[in-house]
Amino acid sequence: PFAGPQIVLSVYGPDFFGNDVVRGYGAVHIPFMSGRHTKTIAMFVPESTSRLQKFTSWFTGRRPEFTDPKVVAQGEGREVTRVRSQGFVTISFNVL
């Protein structure tokens, strides 16, 4: 089913060791009505499933991340992925 266009965000930033790591993913549907819109997007990051994986990813600087942005946009298959809430991003845009 077509749900309309979306904006998908992937936010990256440096960790303690200076490596670029994912800070959050989020998606929001773009409204069909013209005008100025402000949307708040809940951000999340995937988490390792075990303590060993968490330590290994912290130690190596390679944290879990999605390779396909469709996972964020569709949400299909995400119910088996462990994620952690990571704040919010507010965006404003104009629709013509």
Side-chain angles (χ1 to χ4, degrees), residues 44 78 85:
F44 61 90
R78 235 181 42 210
S85 178

Side-chain angles (χ1 to χ4, degrees), residues 4-70:
Q6 294 183 57
I7 293 177
V8 177
L9 297 178
S10 300
V11 179
Y12 290 83
D15 66 0
F16 183 74
F17 301 109
N19 300 316
D20 267 347
V21 295
V22 67
R23 293 293 184 192
Y25 295 106
V28 65
H29 287 278
I30 299 172
F32 288 111
M33 295 178 53
S34 63
R36 183 168 180 82
H37 300 275
T38 301
K39 296 284 186 173
T40 300
I41 305 169
M43 304 298 285
F44 61 90
V45 291
E47 276 202 331
S48 300
T49 54
S50 72
R51 289 182 192 256
L52 178 61
Q53 285 176 331
K54 285 181 184 180
F55 175 74
T56 304
S57 66
W58 175 83
F59 186 72
T60 61
R62 302 286 304 164
R63 297 186 182 167
E65 59 184 272
F66 297 125
T67 56
D68 188 1
K70 289 181 183 177

